[in-house]
């Protein structure tokens, strides 16, 4: 559940004296108040996705070209927009249905991405393509975590025993 105040931003947390709450609030506020910044972040992730599909697929003996990877991600995003519209309609018509549409979106996300990667690179096994997608995603998360740790980005949340 997302709430907005009358200024269009997120409502402030109940305890802004806690620096973790203040940091999280400011981060969310940055994204909501700067749509161009949000668009830049989204475009960056999509660009990395296109390069990732191309480079990792080629490293695994795939035959796809960069243009094919780009075309697949454009089509993939169009399909995900359709699913988001269905989620919005489900939320308006029958809110409990939104959970099922969201679950279907996650399943279709992995199915479509696996099928597209197989088509682009000529892979024969859906299981190996899905495994490559999951392992690559985990690798990207680990690399991003290391980069953020090196840059000194703090963890938001309670880590009292660490």
């Amino acid at each position: 559940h997302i709430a907005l105040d009358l200024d269009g931003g997120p409502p402030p947390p109940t305890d802004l004296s806690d620096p973790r709450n203040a940091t999280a609030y400011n981060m969310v506020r940055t994204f909501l108040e700067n749509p161009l910044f949000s668009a830049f972040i989204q475009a960056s992730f999509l660009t990395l996705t296109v390069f990732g599909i191309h480079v990792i697929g080629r490293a695994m003996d795939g035959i796809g070209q960069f243009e094919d990877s780009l075309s697949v991600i454009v089509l993939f995003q169009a399909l995900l927009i359709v699913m988001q519209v269905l989620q919005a309609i489900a939320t308006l018509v029958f809110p409990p249905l939104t959970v099922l549409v969201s679950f279907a979106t996650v399943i279709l996300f992995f199915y479509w991405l696996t099928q597209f990667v197989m088509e682009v690179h000529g892979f024969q096994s859906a299981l190996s393509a899905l495994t490559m997608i999951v392992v690559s995603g985990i690798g990207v998360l680990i690399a991003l975590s290391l980069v953020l740790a090196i840059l000194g980005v703090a963890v938001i949340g309670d880590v009292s025993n660490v």
Side-chain angles (χ1 to χ4, degrees), residues 31 41 44-45 48 135-155:
F31 280 98
I41 297 294
S44 298
F45 280 120
L48 289 174
V135 169
S136 299
I138 292 170
V140 167
L141 288 175
I142 290 171
L144 185 61
S145 296
L146 291 173
V147 168
L148 291 175
I150 290 169
L151 293 175
V153 176
V155 175

Side-chain angles (χ1 to χ4, degrees), residues 106-152:
V106 171
I107 299 297
L108 287 172
F109 170 86
F110 284 106
Y111 175 76
W112 285 333
L113 187 57
T114 301
Q115 296 302 315
F116 289 158
V117 167
M118 285 176 58
E119 184 66 28
V120 165
H121 290 292
F123 297 143
Q124 300 300 315
S125 170
L127 184 60
S128 65
L130 179 61
T131 302
M132 181 183 66
I133 290 167
V134 171
V135 169
S136 299
I138 292 170
V140 167
L141 288 175
I142 290 171
L144 185 61
S145 296
L146 291 173
V147 168
L148 291 175
I150 290 169
L151 293 175

Side-chain angles (χ1 to χ4, degrees), residues 6-155:
L6 294 177
D7 295 330
T14 55
D15 182 18
L16 277 179
S17 64
D18 184 352
R20 294 172 299 196
N21 287 341
T23 302
Y25 174 71
N26 290 332
M27 193 179 305
V28 170
R29 191 169 187 103
T30 299
F31 280 98
L32 289 175
E33 290 178 351
N34 300 310
L36 288 178
F37 180 69
S38 298
F40 172 75
I41 297 294
Q42 181 73 22
S44 298
F45 280 120
L46 288 173
T47 302
L48 289 174
T49 302
V50 170
F51 279 104
I53 287 174
H54 176 66
V55 171
I56 295 169
R58 291 298 292 247
M60 303 300 272
D61 296 328
I63 59 172
Q65 300 298 315
F66 178 78
E67 294 80 14
D68 299 330
S69 299
L70 181 60
S71 298
V72 157
I73 290 301
V74 169
L75 175 61
F76 187 59
Q77 287 299 309
L79 291 171
L80 290 178
I81 288 171
V82 170
M83 294 306 293
Q84 287 178 335
V85 168
L86 289 175
Q87 286 176 334
I89 292 170
T91 301
L92 294 173
V93 174
F94 188 61
L97 184 62
T98 306
V99 174
L100 294 175
V101 175
S102 298
F103 184 69
T105 301
V106 171
I107 299 297
L108 287 172
F109 170 86
F110 284 106
Y111 175 76
W112 285 333
L113 187 57
T114 301
Q115 296 302 315
F116 289 158
V117 167
M118 285 176 58
E119 184 66 28
V120 165
H121 290 292
F123 297 143
Q124 300 300 315
S125 170
L127 184 60
S128 65
L130 179 61
T131 302
M132 181 183 66
I133 290 167
V134 171
V135 169
S136 299
I138 292 170
V140 167
L141 288 175
I142 290 171
L144 185 61
S145 296
L146 291 173
V147 168
L148 291 175
I150 290 169
L151 293 175
V153 176
V155 175

